[in-house]
Amino acid sequence: MTDKTANTMWGGRFAAGPDAIMEAINASIGFDQRMAAQDIAGSRAHAAMLGAVGIITPKDADTIREGLLTVLSEIEAGTFEFSAALEDIHMNVEARLKDMIGEPAGRLHTGRSRNDQVATDFKLWVRDQLDAAEAGLLALIDALLAQAEAGADWVMPGFTHLQTAQPVTWGHHMMAYVEMLGRDLSRVRDARARMNESPLGAAALAGTSFPIDREMTAQALGFDRPAANSLDAVSDRDFALEFLGVASICAMHLSRFAEELVIWSSAQFRFVTLSDRFSTGSSIMPQKKNPDAAELIRAKVGRIMGANVGLMMVMKGLPLAYSKDMQEDKEQVFDAADNWMLALAAMEGMVRDMTANRDSLAAAAGAGFSTATDLADWLVRVLGMPFRDAHHVTGSLVAMAEGKGCDLPDLSLADMQSVHGDITQDVFDVLGVQNSVNSRMSYGGTAPAQVRAQVGRWREVLK
Ligand code: ARG
């Protein structure tokens, strides 16, 4: 695709075209063509404004705007021929426009530069991805709420250090992720609101002497206002970094949940059965059903966080304003966005389809002396013991049960009384897991009533 003649967009002072290697390192059209729709939206807004304020004639503005729509339809139809000699999406679109409409195309670039143009395109692209992430998060949260509601009172073990700690409810565990993803959702919305200022009209770096109307283009592109400093507008990419930061945190949440699904679907746990639609088999072991989707989601945080670090390294140390380094901002963001959306969708599918195995959950909930804290609390509440003493007595009873190879509820009253004479038959009420979870009625606790209240609150919030 090398064109040995000087570039028609900026070649006035050039006698020769670029070396092939120069073209290869310089061209971004291979990836920035993904911003074609945003580029054309930005150019159409700019042309309308140029016409409205009289910098170009309204007729030229209309011709340009119509022509740009045709260019867009060619790109969407896949008939557009991208040229590396034309470097990037901006010049590819403008060159094609010139082929089609001739002289007025050359007036489009009045009062702007590729620097504000690319900042605008990229911001619009990232903004679209934030909207997609919002939709993906809402769908996933909805799937989790359905699981939480169905299993508000199903008991399962709660873990610390991945050791059985206290019984919790399935619904409570699902709702923990709703809280995390709910904060991700609010980070998405915050980032969107903060980035929503238009770079267009900042021109190369200093603004322009043409009487442009930046309010008008900002409004046409759905921005809240024009960015207030032209140097900043063309040279910062913090909106993309914030996008990657939000994506990284969310991907980390998805990764933790994915890890739990991998563990839970194993033969050793059998807490959940993943659907065939979100599992794969093994080419050698016929019995296998692997949680590949969960594993891949678990891994996605690596490349998304990698993009975050990568772009941070590109941006650090760049003097104001634009430097070509900033062309390296896009590929990593594109890749991170694609994989974030995929991870959200795959997680939603898995959560909607998965079946909790209530029997395995309940059996595991009672194992591992999971109601020992309930026993200690009973000693405090009923016998008035200081908690530290109750902890000690309970520890002795756990050791006794362990010695006998049974669980706490299997000890006899006589066994109990051999450790502390005041213990009565009532203690057995608190050793059952269902009673244990029912009793945890503190705000935010695992009691089914609390879980149902939180499901209701979230449904209200998301309405
Ligand atoms: N393709 C370029 C980029 O992505 C567009 C901006 C070029 N600006 C310039 N001054 N050469 O950054």
Side-chain angles (χ1 to χ4, degrees):
M1 283 205 277
T2 309
D3 178 353
K4 282 294 173 200
T5 59
N7 188 297
T8 53
M9 298 289 166
W10 44 252
R13 62 163 293 182
F14 284 72
D19 187 271
I21 291 171
M22 178 60 208
E23 186 179 289
I25 194 173
N26 196 40
S28 55
I29 189 61
F31 50 88
D32 68 13
Q33 53 182 270
R34 281 193 74 169
M35 305 191 307
Q38 289 78 9
D39 190 70
I40 286 171
S43 290
R44 294 188 79 238
H46 185 67
M49 179 278 291
L50 292 177
V53 301
I55 297 172
I56 64 176
T57 65
K59 184 165 170 291
D60 280 351
D62 286 346
T63 310
I64 290 168
R65 283 167 54 78
E66 276 305 304
L68 285 167
L69 281 186
T70 310
V71 175
L72 181 61
S73 64
E74 288 179 356
I75 292 172
E76 285 173 348
T79 57
F80 190 98
E81 269 187 49
F82 292 106
S83 153
L86 291 165
E87 285 187 31
D88 55 27
I89 185 62
H90 324 296
M91 299 209 290
N92 270 268
V93 168
E94 195 185 315
R96 178 70 187 121
L97 184 67
K98 183 146 187 283
D99 288 347
M100 283 176 359
I101 68 168
E103 192 250 23
R107 301 185 186 278
L108 170 61
H109 214 50
T110 316
R112 77 168 184 187
S113 145
R114 271 192 293 159
N115 296 348
D116 58 335
Q117 191 178 357
V118 72
T120 303
D121 295 2
F122 194 33
K123 225 181 214 194
L124 290 172
W125 195 91
V126 169
R127 197 178 69 183
D128 287 347
Q129 295 300 309
L130 285 172
D131 292 342
E134 172 168 11
L137 279 164
L138 285 169
L140 174 53
I141 289 172
D142 186 66
L144 286 163
L145 288 173
Q147 284 283 354
E149 197 158 45
D153 56 7
W154 302 347
V155 289
M156 66 178 285
F159 299 92
T160 60
H161 314 266
L162 197 56
Q163 309 288 318
T164 301
Q166 294 174 352
V168 295
T169 49
W170 171 260
H172 199 49
H173 202 114
M174 295 299 115
M175 291 305 289
Y177 285 102
V178 168
E179 293 291 331
M180 292 177 237
L181 297 169
R183 287 191 297 276
D184 293 334
L185 182 64
S186 102
R187 273 183 278 271
V188 163
R189 290 171 174 167
D190 285 352
R192 191 191 196 285
R194 191 162 24 256
M195 70 176 278
N196 207 27
E197 294 183 340
S198 174
L200 195 57
L205 75 165
T208 175
S209 57
F210 289 101
I212 59 171
D213 183 347
R214 293 192 59 209
E215 292 284 349
M216 184 181 167
T217 48
Q219 207 183 12
L221 295 169
F223 288 113
D224 295 327
R225 64 192 81 84
N229 182 295
S230 60
L231 288 167
D232 170 53
V234 293
S235 69
D236 207 351
R237 292 294 182 267
D238 62 356
F239 65 89
L241 285 166
E242 200 169 344
F243 172 80
L244 293 172
V246 173
S248 297
I249 294 173
C250 179
M252 175 276 294
H253 286 148
L254 297 179
S255 180
R256 295 185 73 178
F257 192 27
E259 164 71 356
E260 296 201 311
L261 295 179
V262 169
I263 295 173
W264 291 355
S265 61
S266 70
Q268 289 70 25
F269 272 74
R270 290 187 194 283
F271 283 6
V272 295
T273 305
L274 299 176
S275 73
D276 289 355
R277 299 195 321 142
F278 287 94
S279 310
T280 58
S282 157
S283 55
I284 177 167
M285 296 167 283
Q287 85 285 9
K288 292 273 288 201
K289 192 169 144 186
N290 294 328
D292 293 42
E295 295 166 85
L296 289 161
I297 292 169
R298 185 171 60 185
K300 292 297 184 197
V301 64
R303 65 201 286 177
I304 294 172
M305 187 64 209
N308 195 1
V309 174
L311 181 55
M312 193 71 87
M313 291 306 103
V314 168
M315 295 306 296
K316 70 170 275 296
L318 289 187
L320 302 188
Y322 178 87
S323 295
K324 196 62 173 263
D325 309 51
M326 291 163 69
Q327 181 166 285
E328 294 280 313
D329 58 0
K330 292 170 205 67
E331 283 163 290
Q332 307 190 60
V333 171
F334 292 164
D335 183 76
D338 290 344
N339 283 284
W340 185 21
M341 302 315 145
L342 196 52
L344 284 168
M347 187 59 98
E348 187 214 335
M350 258 194 308
V351 171
R352 285 206 192 280
D353 279 16
M354 76 182 173
T355 316
N357 302 325
R358 293 183 62 182
D359 294 343
S360 310
L361 289 170
F369 314 108
S370 65
T371 53
T373 315
D374 299 86
L375 172 53
D377 288 351
W378 184 90
L379 295 169
V380 170
R381 201 168 51 244
V382 179
L383 303 186
M385 289 173 69
F387 183 78
R388 284 294 159 219
D389 297 349
H391 186 287
H392 193 80
V393 168
T394 305
S396 305
L397 288 166
V398 166
M400 179 186 281
E402 200 166 33
K404 289 177 184 268
C406 68
D407 283 319
L408 281 174
D410 306 323
L411 292 175
S412 68
L413 183 57
D415 290 336
M416 299 264 187
Q417 288 175 340
S418 72
V419 174
H420 198 286
D422 296 345
I423 297 178
T424 62
Q425 184 66 33
D426 294 353
V427 77
F428 289 97
D429 291 346
V430 302
L431 298 183
V433 287
Q434 199 71 53
N435 285 340
S436 167
V437 296
N438 289 348
S439 73
R440 290 195 155 61
M441 273 296 289
S442 53
Y443 179 80
T446 197
Q450 284 293 332
V451 172
R452 292 195 180 98
Q454 292 301 333
V455 171
R457 181 178 69 83
W458 272 104
R459 288 209 199 282
E460 215 36 57
V461 168
L462 298 175
K463 241 187 215 157

